[in-house]
Every structure is written in structure tokens, then in C-alpha cells.
Amino acid sequence: MLIIQPSGGLCNRMRVINSAWELAKKRKERLIVLWYLCPELNCPFEALFQPVKEIRIINIRSLKDPRKLFYQLTARQRFGNDDILEHKTDGVLHEDFFESLKNPVYLFTWEHFYPSHDYHFYVPVASLQERIDRFTASFGKRCVGVHIRRTDNTISMGKSTTEQFVALMKRELLTHPETCFFLATDDSREEALLRKTFPGRIISNELRVADRNSIEGMHDALIDLYCLAATEKLIGSYWSSFTDIAADMRGIEKVIAGEAGS
């Protein structure tokens, strides 16, 4: 049995679960996911996604939850994020580390450790899918996604500046004048600036709740993610799992603002 406690925000957790599923298949073992409701993601799994048959997902609201403590204390081996980092290269666990794992294994991490582009676990609940469909229906002939990460990601802010996003968006309009943009950002000032710079070109969830410490905020985050994934191309933020997952979900082209050559 493999027990995984994915940490971080929505997209970090999605790629951790994907990695754990690959590991569980490799080991021919059952997978249990402990989905921790906390300020960075305070929403049950089933409030975002439809039920998953292949794995058991347990929502926990405390690190002292008896179910968590039971799995953690009865595991023959327990590994944290630093252990995963130490024992992987290029996103893959070292073979000797994999071979040394003893059943049951408890993992706590926000790192992906097996490459996977399979997102079949993540089917939005019907009410959220309806909202996603309403936005994507307005995309027109060509829509490019724009994800601007601000507030709590200083690495991203320092690398992917507003000026670089504007330059890349202008470049899209030069080559494809019919382009509109779906904007996902956690900064209302960025949205106001882009609406002024590109009048009539910006589509967004204007009534979004930015607080991830709420079910409504997580609903809006998921809507942004799936709308970005439905665009033709993504202009994204440096060092952002949200950008990476949005592009990877459907294999769309990704350009990172601030990276060389972008």
C-alpha cells in the first residue's frame, strides 16, 4: 500500500497524485491519498472533481487526524519532500531507491517524482464544468491563455514582469490580429492594466474569489486552470506549477514570460 500526502496548492497536488499513481502501478499496490484542507487549499477533493474509482481519497482537516496518524505510524517507511528531492533525477525516482521501498510506504511531498501526462482523475464537478464551458464558448477563432502569478510568488514576479507579458501579447496580435486572451491572475491591478492596454481583447472570471482558504476561491482557481488549458497557446509565469499544469493537461504550446527566447 502506498499512502501519499500531497502538499502545496492545487497544481502541485495534481502532479504529486499523478506521480504517486505511476509509482503505485509500478509497485502493483493500492494508492491512498490524504487530501489536507488548509489555508493554501481549503476545499475537499469532491467539491472540485468527480469521484475517482482507482484510488481512495481521504479529506483531512488536521495533521492530528487519527486516520493520518494511523497510516503514518504503521508505515514501514516514511519519506518527506527532502527525501524525494535527494532520490530523484529529472523527475524520476532512482531505481535503487524504488527497489528499497517496503510496503506500506508513507510519502509527504509537493514534488513530482514520475513523469505523467495523464489527467483522467481530474474531471470537474458538473457545476464547475458548466461555468468553464460558458467561458470557453466566448473564446472566438483564436484565444491565447495568459497566467500572471503575483502576490505570494516572489521568484515568478522577479522573472516574469508585466512589461514582458505585454510584449508577448502584442507579438501575438501582430501575427494573429484575431486573437483574444483568457487572463488568469491573482492581481486585480494587472487585470485592469491589461484591459486598458488591450481593450475588448481580455476574457476573465471577473468575479473570481482569490482567497484559496475558501471553497469559492478554489472553485475559481479550478475554472481558471481549465480555461487556460482550453486555449490555443499559453503565455505563463516563471516557476509556476499552475502555468505548467495548464499547458500540460492538453499539450498546448507554452511560452514563459521572462525566459530567454520568449
Side-chain angles (χ1 to χ4, degrees):
M1 181 168 59
L2 175 64
I3 305 103
I4 188 85
Q5 184 190 333
S7 182
L10 177 62
C11 291
N12 278 330
R13 295 190 190 198
M14 290 171 70
R15 65 184 184 183
V16 167
I17 292 172
N18 276 1
S19 292
W21 175 242
E22 293 300 318
L23 179 59
K25 288 191 296 183
K26 201 172 168 67
R27 291 170 56 82
K28 298 180 174 58
E29 291 182 356
R30 182 186 182 197
L31 175 61
I32 294 177
V33 175
L34 300 177
W35 185 266
Y36 178 38
L37 279 69
C38 60
E40 59 191 347
L41 200 169
N42 196 358
C43 182
F45 183 92
E46 64 273 11
L48 298 169
F49 301 109
Q50 295 184 22
V52 176
K53 296 179 180 179
E54 298 96 326
I55 61 181
R56 183 184 179 195
I57 297 174
I58 302 173
N59 295 301
I60 60 173
R61 296 180 179 275
S62 168
L63 295 178
K64 297 181 180 179
D65 186 294
R67 295 165 297 178
K68 172 192 177 295
L69 295 176
F70 171 80
Y71 285 121
Q72 194 170 16
L73 293 174
T74 57
R76 293 182 67 188
Q77 291 177 309
R78 295 179 290 275
F79 298 102
N81 200 69
D82 289 344
D83 297 305
I84 299 299
L85 281 171
E86 183 181 346
H87 292 99
K88 74 167 187 172
T89 302
D90 296 329
V92 179
L93 288 179
H94 301 156
E95 191 66 24
D96 58 345
F97 179 74
F98 162 72
E99 294 291 345
S100 71
L101 297 179
K102 296 178 175 61
N103 185 31
V105 181
Y106 187 101
L107 300 175
F108 163 78
T109 185
W110 55 85
E111 288 287 323
H112 66 286
F113 46 90
Y114 277 110
S116 175
H117 307 285
D118 180 3
Y119 293 89
H120 79 277
F121 292 134
Y122 310 110
V123 179
V125 296
S127 60
L128 296 181
Q129 187 61 58
E130 289 174 6
R131 294 173 64 188
I132 293 164
D133 292 342
R134 285 199 295 270
F135 281 115
T136 58
S138 66
F139 279 5
K141 292 182 179 180
R142 185 174 189 271
C143 187
V144 170
V146 178
H147 174 232
I148 302 180
R149 179 73 182 272
R150 294 292 182 255
T151 63
D152 63 344
N153 192 328
T154 55
I155 295 176
S156 178
M157 286 187 281
K159 188 84 170 180
S160 299
T161 66
T162 303
E163 292 75 18
Q164 289 159 339
F165 278 103
V166 170
L168 288 170
M169 293 167 74
K170 287 181 176 178
R171 188 186 304 173
E172 289 295 323
L173 289 172
L174 282 175
T175 54
H176 301 282
E178 74 280 13
T179 299
C180 66
F181 301 97
F182 179 83
L183 173 65
T185 183
D186 53 1
D187 191 329
S188 59
R189 294 170 298 179
E190 295 281 348
E191 179 162 351
L193 185 149
L194 291 184
R195 286 189 177 278
K196 183 178 180 180
T197 307
F198 302 99
R201 300 278 185 170
I202 304 297
I203 302 167
S204 72
N205 181 7
E206 295 184 71
L207 301 178
R208 79 173 69 83
V209 176
D211 182 11
R212 299 297 181 252
N213 192 20
S214 69
I215 291 178
E216 294 80 7
M218 289 311 307
H219 283 177
D220 286 337
L222 186 138
I223 289 167
D224 276 354
L225 178 68
Y226 276 73
C227 285
L228 288 173
T231 60
E232 190 165 318
K233 178 179 180 179
L234 178 58
I235 301 171
S237 291
Y238 180 76
W239 203 258
S240 169
S241 61
F242 203 89
T243 285
D244 294 340
I245 296 298
D248 193 48
M249 283 172 64
R250 295 193 175 98
I252 62 174
E253 180 184 357
K254 176 181 68 176
V255 177
I256 302 300
E259 281 195 341
S262 65

